[in-house]
Amino acid sequence: MNNIAYYNGKTSPIDEMMIPMNDRVVYFGDGVYEVAYVKNHKPFALYDHLDRFYNSCRMMSIDFYMNREELTDLVQSLIDQIDTDAECILYWQCSRGTAPRKHYFPNPPVKPNLLAYVKPLAIPPMKNRIKLITVEDQRFFFCNIKTLNLIPNVFASQKAEEAGCDEAIFHRGDMVTECSHGNISIIKNGALKTAPLNNLILAGTVRKHLLEFCNANGIPVDETPFKVAEMVGADEVIVTSTTTMMRAAYEIDGQPVGGKLPDLVERIQNGYVERIRKELNL
């Protein structure tokens, strides 16, 4: 089949899957999620995604009932049912469970709900530079949890879409945090700078790989906050996420940016592609 969905033991094509109205994800977005890249029926960096998933469950006080091996076997069984070796996306989410609508946690606790799907997804070429817009970061202070509460991200993405841009950059005052669905870093004088991990940004898996590549290849890394003006004046601006990988920007808020160290950007991108090839035996 071309795609497959899973919910609490049931499978079907994505368009046919139904979930209970009283799943707390419907009323409250009370859950966490993960997204992984798949090629040739193999998920990339799955262990990194599992680390973040279980950490998000812990921070949300969701007692997820599967261990890592069980969840790995489950998602792999879904991937194996897709009839293409092309690029796919693996998505899964865990909600607190199904219970009548009350804001506090169900008491006694109920079993969490697991939803997952696999479907084809064409990743845009990393060499294509992107156009960005800045948006004031009005989210709460749990950005380090990959929670399903994403309305500010939706609004920011819609603003980017209406402006003809590819992505929105969040900032609190003049300090840059991250993007509506990815992390952001800058390169200045040959060094990579990115916001530190805290409760204001998500610990992105591609961000992690970017830093690992730089540290292993003599590219200085500076994990400190940077301002909007620094970003606009940087030699390069790089957005990272599972569904866009590593892409450099050419414009922010209508101003030309980046393009000063294209060879370094290409070196980093090629290094990431090589990492994917090695892990997935491509």
Side-chain angles (χ1 to χ4, degrees), residues 103-173:
H103 284 69
Y104 52 81
F105 296 175
N107 188 18
V110 295
K111 186 177 181 179
N113 295 320
L114 178 63
L115 177 152
Y117 66 76
V118 184
K119 68 176 184 179
L121 178 72
I123 303 293
M126 282 195 287
K127 297 189 186 302
N128 294 353
R129 289 183 175 255
I130 55 177
K131 182 179 178 181
L132 309 175
I133 188 173
T134 57
V135 176
E136 181 68 33
D137 193 344
Q138 297 178 326
R139 298 172 298 167
F140 55 7
F141 293 99
F142 299 108
C143 301
N144 54 321
I145 306 174
K146 203 166 177 65
T147 171
L148 293 161
N149 292 269
L150 294 172
I151 286 298
N153 303 65
V154 171
F155 286 163
S157 293
Q158 179 61 24
K159 186 173 181 180
E161 176 71 16
E162 292 172 356
C165 294
D166 301 283
E167 174 65 295
I169 307 164
F170 285 127
H171 59 92
R172 294 182 186 253

Side-chain angles (χ1 to χ4, degrees), residues 74-92:
L74 173 62
V75 298
Q76 187 61 58
S77 73
L78 297 176
I79 294 169
D80 290 342
Q81 296 180 61
I82 299 299
D83 57 7
T84 177
D85 290 333
E87 294 175 311
C88 289
I89 202 74
L90 164 65
Y91 175 94
W92 76 90

Side-chain angles (χ1 to χ4, degrees), residues 8-226:
N8 289 351
K10 298 179 180 179
T11 59
S12 75
I14 292 174
D15 291 344
E16 297 176 13
M17 181 56 69
M18 306 288 287
I19 69 171
M21 186 171 179
N22 275 341
D23 188 327
R24 284 177 63 91
V25 73
V26 176
Y27 298 122
F28 304 117
D30 189 2
V32 300
Y33 74 104
E34 276 297 329
V35 181
Y37 171 76
V38 176
K39 183 74 179 289
N40 283 2
H41 292 93
K42 298 175 183 177
F44 174 66
L46 183 60
Y47 291 136
D48 289 330
H49 289 288
L50 289 172
D51 284 345
R52 188 171 61 186
F53 173 73
Y54 283 100
N55 190 46
S56 292
C57 285
R58 179 187 60 79
M59 289 189 286
M60 287 279 286
S61 298
I62 294 175
D63 186 16
F64 186 59
Y65 55 92
M66 286 186 183
N67 61 35
R68 293 172 66 99
E69 291 74 20
E70 292 169 332
L71 183 54
T72 296
D73 289 344
L74 173 62
V75 298
Q76 187 61 58
S77 73
L78 297 176
I79 294 169
D80 290 342
Q81 296 180 61
I82 299 299
D83 57 7
T84 177
D85 290 333
E87 294 175 311
C88 289
I89 202 74
L90 164 65
Y91 175 94
W92 76 90
Q93 69 179 43
C94 172
S95 75
R96 195 173 304 280
T98 301
R101 186 185 186 278
K102 295 185 182 298
H103 284 69
Y104 52 81
F105 296 175
N107 188 18
V110 295
K111 186 177 181 179
N113 295 320
L114 178 63
L115 177 152
Y117 66 76
V118 184
K119 68 176 184 179
L121 178 72
I123 303 293
M126 282 195 287
K127 297 189 186 302
N128 294 353
R129 289 183 175 255
I130 55 177
K131 182 179 178 181
L132 309 175
I133 188 173
T134 57
V135 176
E136 181 68 33
D137 193 344
Q138 297 178 326
R139 298 172 298 167
F140 55 7
F141 293 99
F142 299 108
C143 301
N144 54 321
I145 306 174
K146 203 166 177 65
T147 171
L148 293 161
N149 292 269
L150 294 172
I151 286 298
N153 303 65
V154 171
F155 286 163
S157 293
Q158 179 61 24
K159 186 173 181 180
E161 176 71 16
E162 292 172 356
C165 294
D166 301 283
E167 174 65 295
I169 307 164
F170 285 127
H171 59 92
R172 294 182 186 253
D174 60 356
M175 302 305 297
V176 176
T177 51
E178 58 183 353
C179 294
S180 64
H181 47 275
N183 296 111
I184 188 160
S185 305
I186 62 174
I187 299 176
K188 186 68 175 180
N189 299 325
L192 185 130
K193 190 172 187 179
T194 193
L197 294 182
N198 53 33
N199 65 316
L200 301 181
I201 75 167
L202 183 70
T205 58
V206 185
R207 174 192 179 277
K208 175 186 175 184
H209 300 157
L210 171 61
L211 268 59
E212 287 175 349
F213 177 85
C214 291
N215 284 324
N217 288 274
I219 302 170
V221 171
D222 180 8
E223 291 186 75
T224 57
F226 58 88

